[in-house]
């Protein structure tokens, strides 16, 4: 597996987990980008938007545009993936205890 695919899988999992950790289960794209940076998963704004749209297509998040900013909200299915109760191809499955 190419390193770019490994990075994408980790980024997608971290996006879902960041959303699962906040009240309301929603964050704007700027905060998500900062969270990914903290985990050493640097991503451009364009690449982040592409990942958010991909997660939305799968029904794992809901995207809302507020002005020029995207707001992502975790769905129940997305929370299942974030916690490891469900598996989606293209998203890293968390290890026990993570």
């Amino acid at each position: 597996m190419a390193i770019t695919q490994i990075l994408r899988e980790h980024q997608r999992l971290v996006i879902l987990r960041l959303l699962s950790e906040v009240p309301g289960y929603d964050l704007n794209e700027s905060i998500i980008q900062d969270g990914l940076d903290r985990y050493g998963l640097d991503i451009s704004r364009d690449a982040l938007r592409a990942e958010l749209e991909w997660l939305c297509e799968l029904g794992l998040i809901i995207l809302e545009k507020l002005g020029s900013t995207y707001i992502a909200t975790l769905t129940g299915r997305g929370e299942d993936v974030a916690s490891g109760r469900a598996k989606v191809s293209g998203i890293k499955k968390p290890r026990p205890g993570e």
Side-chain angles (χ1 to χ4, degrees):
M1 180 181 300
I3 189 68
T4 55
Q5 181 61 28
I6 293 169
L7 286 172
R8 274 193 201 109
E9 290 182 3
H10 279 264
Q11 288 166 336
R12 292 167 178 166
L13 175 62
V14 169
I15 289 168
L16 296 176
R17 296 191 81 184
L18 289 169
L19 292 168
S20 74
E21 293 174 1
V22 295
Y25 304 103
D26 61 347
L27 292 169
N28 69 45
E29 64 187 324
S30 181
I31 295 171
I32 293 170
Q33 187 176 29
D34 288 348
L36 286 167
D37 288 347
R38 282 280 176 123
Y39 282 94
L41 298 168
D42 298 341
I43 191 170
S44 70
R45 186 61 57 99
D46 287 341
L48 175 58
R49 285 183 174 182
E51 294 303 337
L52 292 173
E53 289 170 359
W54 186 85
L55 293 167
C56 184
E57 287 175 15
L58 293 177
L60 304 176
I61 65 170
I62 297 167
L63 274 182
E64 177 185 352
K65 193 164 186 183
L66 184 62
S68 63
T69 301
Y70 282 105
I71 308 295
T73 303
L74 190 66
T75 65
R77 184 168 182 245
E79 202 278 326
D80 284 345
V81 174
S83 67
R85 288 190 299 269
K87 173 73 176 131
V88 172
S89 181
I91 301 175
K92 182 186 182 307
K93 183 172 171 76
R95 293 181 183 181
E98 283 188 335

